[in-house]
Amino acid sequence: MKKARKVLSSTAWYDSPLYYDIVYQDYTRPETQFLEAIARKHGPVRMGPLRILEPACGSGRLMESLGRRGHTVHGFDMNRHMLRYARARLAKAKIKGVTKLGRLESFRCKTRTPYDLAHCLVSTFKYILTERGARRHLQLVAQSLRPGGLYVVGLHLTDYQQSVPDHEQWIRQRGGVRVQSDTWSDIPNRQKRTEACRTRMCVREGGKQWKEETHWDFRTYSPGELRKLLKSVPQFSLIACHDFHYDIRRKRKIDNRYGDIVLVLRRNA
Ligand SMILES: C[S@@+](CC[C@H](N)C(=O)[O-])C[C@H]1O[C@@H](n2cnc3c(N)ncnc32)[C@H](O)[C@@H]1O
């Protein structure tokens, strides 16, 4: 078997969109249903198709799933491999989605009709490494939404008391491809507000097996740090909090009780 290849890059594993897509495939359905339920409950458009923006849309798994349900889907990402993959899947599904190159911290939204809903799940928001960048991102999303429009952001909160690296594993299969993904998050650095993360992907395909490692930093957020950031963006009001169970009946607060949080932000008029 080939030795693990070390890749010192923040997004190297995103250069293989199919494998990423396989790892996250089971989340697509509950996330899609959750986003629709949130829009029905809190959004400016309770019935009918929505205009949806996905910052850092990746492989387009949610764009396809929401597009198949009749919504208009627009997304951007900084990784060209992901965008190519997302475009191909939308074309195959005959969905007229728009995918563009752009960064979370500085994207330009040129659409004439503002969005009803935007979403950024699975901790992607934590790729923005500075407070200024995070604030700018929220402001840009707010500008692209109509008044009353919603931004749903899912992220893992930081426990600064954590004394050992956190480890999560996914093993998923599609067709003849098996992917095992192990992700470790190191003990957070409170001063720098970063946590070093590492994903090792082990892929088995066509009788071959190989491993690839990606290293990156995430920005850390304690409940207090997250509340402070949200306070600094008056364009949004926090209207509900949930968790990665994606159950609209299961509510929570921004607190230490459970790491995974989903924020529902409403653009103020
Ligand atoms: C965990 S994936 C999420 C993809 C997609 N939103 C989903 O839920 O499947 C993170 C994505 O963020 C993108 N990304 C990371 N940092 C970014 C940045 N600063 N600006 C734009 N995209 C970024 C990566 O290329 C990758 O596609």
Side-chain angles (χ1 to χ4, degrees):
M1 195 177 70
K2 264 168 80 179
K3 265 187 109 186
R5 188 153 61 93
K6 212 173 191 183
V7 189
L8 287 171
S9 148
S10 63
T11 55
W13 75 306
Y14 300 132
D15 293 351
S16 312
L18 171 66
Y19 307 138
Y20 165 84
D21 202 66
I22 291 174
V23 170
Y24 278 88
Q25 62 192 8
D26 293 355
Y27 295 106
T28 307
R29 199 183 146 100
E31 286 170 349
T32 300
Q33 290 173 346
F34 177 77
L35 290 169
E36 284 189 323
I38 288 290
R40 273 196 302 272
K41 181 161 185 197
H42 302 288
V45 178
R46 305 272 156 91
M47 306 281 284
L50 303 163
R51 286 179 55 77
I52 303 178
L53 174 69
E54 183 175 4
C57 58
S59 64
R61 63 187 181 93
L62 286 163
M63 289 184 77
E64 179 183 348
S65 165
L66 289 158
R68 281 185 185 279
R69 294 163 85 101
H71 305 296
T72 299
V73 286
H74 292 186
F76 66 85
D77 200 282
M78 63 179 250
N79 185 300
R80 289 174 192 274
H81 300 273
M82 283 294 207
L83 286 174
R84 203 174 307 128
Y85 188 91
R87 273 174 204 143
R89 86 184 305 158
L90 293 179
K92 197 171 165 202
K94 299 196 175 5
I95 296 167
K96 282 194 202 137
V98 175
T99 50
K100 290 201 172 144
L101 195 63
R103 292 193 63 94
L104 291 165
E105 314 81 339
S106 57
F107 71 97
R108 289 275 163 259
C109 178
K110 290 192 184 138
T111 179
R112 260 173 276 148
T113 319
Y115 298 99
D116 307 304
L117 177 79
H119 62 91
C120 188
L121 304 178
V122 294
S123 282
T124 302
F125 179 70
K126 289 168 63 170
Y127 276 108
I128 308 171
L129 289 175
T130 63
E131 194 76 354
R132 195 169 166 211
R135 200 175 309 120
R136 184 76 192 126
H137 170 75
L138 291 174
Q139 288 162 348
L140 288 171
V141 175
Q143 280 168 24
S144 67
L145 286 170
R146 62 153 89 186
L150 303 175
Y151 190 27
V152 182
V153 184
L155 69 154
H156 190 82
L157 290 169
T158 307
D159 174 9
Y160 287 115
Q161 307 307 315
Q162 180 191 333
S163 54
V164 286
D166 191 40
H167 174 227
E168 284 185 280
Q169 185 179 73
W170 293 269
I171 302 173
R172 297 286 183 272
Q173 224 158 323
R174 189 191 298 168
V177 185
R178 179 190 185 271
V179 185
Q180 175 176 329
S181 162
D182 288 274
T183 297
W184 291 267
S185 336
D186 218 337
I187 298 162
N189 184 327
R190 190 166 205 160
Q191 234 177 349
K192 286 193 181 164
R193 295 275 311 268
T194 55
E195 60 191 359
C197 300
R198 166 167 78 96
T199 284
R200 177 178 294 168
M201 235 174 18
C202 179
V203 182
R204 250 195 255 155
E205 186 178 10
K208 288 189 190 148
Q209 177 168 313
W210 67 93
K211 288 184 185 171
E212 195 166 286
E213 250 187 49
T214 305
H215 294 228
W216 77 95
D217 277 347
F218 261 161
R219 183 157 176 84
T220 54
Y221 285 97
S222 68
E225 287 162 348
L226 185 58
R227 279 194 296 266
K228 188 172 165 218
L229 171 68
L230 296 178
K231 244 187 164 172
S232 73
V233 186
Q235 291 89 339
F236 276 124
S237 298
L238 176 68
I239 56 165
C241 289
H242 298 272
D243 61 33
F244 285 18
H245 288 91
Y246 298 114
D247 181 349
I248 193 160
R249 291 160 305 180
R250 207 173 142 136
K251 286 192 181 163
R252 61 166 295 174
K253 295 200 164 108
I254 303 184
D255 57 26
N256 265 326
R257 259 173 274 170
Y258 189 65
D260 295 329
I261 194 160
V262 180
L263 310 170
V264 183
L265 307 174
R266 182 185 278 147
R267 199 208 119 160
N268 297 319

